[in-house]
Amino acid sequence: MALNLGLLLLLFYSSYSCCLSFSESATGLGSSSLRFEEKPNFVILLMDDMGWGDLGVFGEPSKETPNLDQMAAEGMLFPDFYSANPICSPSRASLLSGRLPIRNGFYTTNKLGHDAYTPQVIVGGIPDEEILLPELLQKHGYRNKIIGKWHLGQQPQYHPLKHGFDEWFGAPNCHFGPFDDKKTPNIPVYKDADMVGRYYEDFLIDRKTGESNLTQIYIKEATSFIEAQTTKGQPFFLYWAVDATHEPVYASRDFLGTSRRGLYGDAVRELDSGVGEILATLQRLGVDKNTLVFFTSDNGAATYAKTNGGSNGPFLCGKQTTFEGGSREPTIAWWPGHISPGQVSKQTGSLMDFFSTFLDLASIPAPADRAIDGISLRSALLHSNVTDRPIFYYRGDLLMAARLGQYKAHLWTWTNGLEEYHKGIDFCPGENVEGLTTHKQTNHTDSPLLIDLGADPGEKYIIKPHSSVYRKEMPAILEAVSKHLSGLKPGVPQLNWCDSAVMNWAPQGCEKLGRCLPAPKSQPYKCVWPH
């Protein structure tokens, strides 16, 4: 079986360079009879580079997330919840499409197994062929808003309002900067279809102190949207994609210096406060029992940022790796009256499951013309049931690992190259597992490395191939991998080409502000992805 899998992987990688809302019966949450009266609202609170170990409820010793801890006490924790990729853009593309990056095109073939995302110079973006969650909700009467970072392409054809969102306040890229607006333009901030300013010019981030009021703006945008939609009586989907915990980390004046964890902790505390305000708004307006809220993160904490990054708790390594620290996310579901409080789900989940879950709960059929990788969590949320399913860990175009049950098989391993490592870029600071945290891409497909994530969540102990556990568990994992790869049709890679001419020189609406910048001549080149 292992030899067949190795051959299959080699062949694969060489083959391409009406109305509803839930009201449980009076007999309790366990009842199977549900009464549909109005459509449920949906909220995703997506953090940026926040780690599993950053929440008090997951063991952060300073206990500085009281609102999130309370959300967990009133809802359901998902300790085994994953992103579809350990870096931002592919993860977000998968969340909204319900499909792995290898299917939706958010990967590169420029270098095997290398991470890629959407910096300003990227030519590609979310393809029109992808059907996103907000598009389907919009067609069924929902009003959808994204607040914060989009990161699925900055050219106009890729913007959120072209892909199912009705409103947008935020930016197409990360808040890197400040730039000189000559060699590199500062990142624009949009209000719906038009730019309303730029980071570091109109929306300030003090790089010395870390002060910025952006999170407060994002909180107000969220509560105002909820209030407006509640007044209209129209169902809504709110995608709160805030980014204060992504470097350069920032927090508003009232939160600066309030955490024992430094600036990163200040940002976490402010985001926690924002979550509290959003949930309180739902309760104050009386729509909490008709609104399913998920809190999660796009990928693991950026451990290479050291104290300017978060914590992945007991898990190995961090962002950009397919070890648990890079892919496992702090996830909480909250839905008063439907989710029994204080639960811990044993369901293995994925950010891609939001797609299938929301469509299921809104009685909207999923597209039947494509593979959907997410599953509906309805049964897990309402009845604490568990659905067996595999988890596939991709890094770029390379399937690195797979999990089934509590066992994980590493097909390939690597952290980052020695050249970067010697420059101080360390994806696994203070951690080294011999044979696992390799500094070169190492192919294990002939004899995958097996880890028992139940007994060894930190991936420190590799199970020997001759053991009875290996012989029992590995065949089922390899069968799931073989089935996945044999039916896989990769999407056209969107992250291969870069061009300075496509940067944010003249965003839509810049002419109204007199803030358009001249773009250089187009000179496309293959993007360089170092890790």
Side-chain angles (χ1 to χ4, degrees):
M1 178 63 118
L3 290 174
N4 291 339
L5 173 65
L7 178 61
L8 179 61
L9 285 162
L10 178 63
L11 290 173
F12 175 73
Y13 290 122
S14 62
S15 67
Y16 72 99
S17 328
C18 140
C19 298
L20 24 138
S21 153
F22 284 67
S23 203
E24 296 282 354
S25 72
T27 57
L29 293 165
S31 171
S32 60
S33 62
L34 290 172
R35 192 158 49 86
F36 299 102
E37 294 175 345
E38 52 183 327
K39 296 179 181 179
N41 306 309
F42 302 116
V43 177
I44 296 175
L45 307 171
L46 183 71
M47 304 298 104
D48 201 341
D49 291 2
M50 187 179 286
W52 194 94
D54 283 331
L55 278 59
V57 71
F58 281 126
E60 202 289 312
S62 296
K63 304 293 183 187
E64 293 180 345
T65 55
N67 294 290
L68 286 165
D69 298 350
Q70 183 63 30
M71 180 184 181
E74 296 174 0
M76 178 179 284
L77 272 181
F78 283 86
D80 294 82
F81 214 88
Y82 291 87
S83 61
N85 192 269
I87 195 170
C88 43
S89 298
S91 171
R92 292 159 191 259
S94 292
L95 183 156
L96 291 175
S97 68
R99 287 154 51 83
L100 286 163
I102 195 70
R103 298 193 205 273
N104 64 39
F106 262 65
Y107 67 98
T108 180
T109 55
N110 290 354
K111 251 189 174 180
L112 180 68
H114 278 60
D115 291 320
Y117 65 107
T118 55
Q120 283 202 71
V121 291
I122 203 74
V123 172
I126 193 70
D128 285 339
E129 294 75 23
E130 288 301 309
I131 301 174
L132 303 190
L133 174 62
E135 295 178 62
L136 295 168
L137 293 174
Q138 189 180 62
K139 289 177 181 177
H140 287 78
Y142 280 77
R143 188 166 182 86
N144 310 315
K145 180 162 186 169
I146 171 175
I147 298 169
K149 186 168 80 173
W150 172 236
H151 228 35
L152 301 187
Q154 80 275 359
Q155 296 187 74
Q157 66 267 33
Y158 301 128
H159 282 188
L161 270 60
K162 299 288 182 67
H163 293 274
F165 284 99
D166 301 284
E167 301 180 31
W168 179 24
F169 187 90
N173 309 91
C174 284
H175 55 279
F176 295 138
F179 302 118
D180 61 6
D181 282 341
K182 294 178 181 178
K183 290 184 178 180
T184 305
N186 280 304
I187 305 296
V189 175
Y190 282 81
K191 174 71 172 176
D192 299 330
D194 289 340
M195 160 188 167
V196 291
R198 293 181 187 268
Y199 286 141
Y200 301 98
E201 297 174 14
D202 310 278
F203 297 89
L204 301 180
I205 302 172
D206 189 320
R207 291 299 298 267
K208 291 183 179 180
T209 66
E211 182 180 349
S212 176
N213 68 342
L214 277 167
T215 297
Q216 290 303 310
I217 295 173
Y218 293 153
I219 294 169
K220 181 61 177 175
E221 286 285 331
T223 56
S224 296
F225 175 71
I226 294 169
E227 289 168 352
Q229 290 308 114
T230 301
T231 300
K232 293 176 185 175
Q234 183 180 17
F236 61 84
F237 167 43
L238 171 61
Y239 180 43
W240 200 58
V242 289
D243 60 1
T245 43
H246 187 295
E247 281 194 303
V249 179
Y250 63 81
S252 65
R253 182 172 300 176
D254 287 346
F255 287 88
L256 286 178
T258 63
S259 169
R260 296 177 63 185
R261 303 180 63 196
L263 180 57
Y264 182 87
D266 297 341
V268 171
R269 289 198 66 248
E270 185 168 19
L271 292 170
D272 174 78
S273 174
V275 170
E277 288 192 47
I278 291 169
L279 299 186
T281 299
L282 294 170
Q283 293 171 319
R284 173 172 57 82
L285 297 172
V287 293
D288 53 316
K289 291 182 172 59
N290 195 40
T291 305
L292 171 58
V293 182
F294 270 100
F295 172 91
T296 191
S297 181
D298 62 346
N299 46 247
T303 49
Y304 57 80
K306 301 176 183 176
T307 56
N308 281 328
S311 165
N312 293 312
F315 303 123
L316 184 63
C317 301
K319 177 182 178 179
Q320 298 192 232
T321 76
T322 49
F323 301 112
E324 293 298 288
S327 301
R328 203 184 294 209
E329 311 308 329
T331 303
I332 305 169
W334 184 86
W335 196 3
H338 306 288
I339 296 175
S340 296
Q343 294 190 81
V344 178
S345 177
K346 290 182 171 57
Q347 176 66 55
T348 304
S350 165
L351 299 185
M352 296 182 292
D353 297 344
F354 298 154
F355 182 94
S356 300
T357 302
F358 293 1
L359 295 184
D360 185 6
L361 294 173
S363 290
I364 299 172
D369 64 341
R370 64 199 61 209
I372 302 297
D373 296 295
I375 67 170
S376 175
L377 299 176
R378 174 178 181 158
S379 183
L381 294 168
L382 301 179
H383 307 296
S384 299
N385 293 334
V386 174
T387 301
D388 292 331
R389 53 94 69 88
I391 293 291
F392 300 111
Y393 304 70
Y394 272 88
R395 188 163 175 177
D397 56 348
L398 185 60
L399 179 59
M400 301 283 291
R403 172 179 175 172
L404 189 64
Q406 69 185 50
Y407 290 91
K408 177 180 181 180
H410 286 278
L411 309 172
W412 290 76
T413 57
W414 80 300
T415 57
N416 62 331
L418 279 172
E419 183 178 351
E420 278 196 316
Y421 175 74
H422 289 315
K423 291 179 181 177
I425 302 173
D426 188 356
F427 292 169
C428 307
E431 299 176 297
N432 177 52
V433 180
E434 186 176 356
L436 200 62
T437 55
T438 57
H439 283 291
K440 67 176 182 177
Q441 289 181 344
T442 305
N443 187 345
H444 303 281
T445 54
D446 285 345
S447 183
L449 307 180
L450 187 65
I451 301 290
D452 180 352
L453 292 176
D456 177 24
E459 298 175 278
K460 292 179 174 62
Y461 311 108
I462 300 170
I463 297 173
K464 296 185 182 304
H466 57 73
S467 68
S468 60
V469 172
Y470 192 101
R471 293 197 301 269
K472 177 183 177 184
E473 302 297 338
M474 187 58 73
I477 300 176
L478 296 186
E479 182 180 355
V481 169
S482 178
K483 181 179 179 181
H484 167 65
L485 291 178
S486 65
L488 182 59
K489 181 182 177 181
V492 176
Q494 297 294 308
L495 308 180
N496 278 351
W497 289 95
C498 289
D499 188 345
S500 294
V502 304
M503 292 198 289
N504 293 286
W505 301 105
Q508 187 168 317
C510 67
E511 67 284 352
K512 299 176 185 178
L513 303 174
R515 302 279 293 281
C516 301
L517 301 170
K521 181 181 177 181
S522 176
Q523 293 183 318
Y525 61 92
K526 282 195 171 183
C527 305
V528 177
W529 304 110
H531 36 251

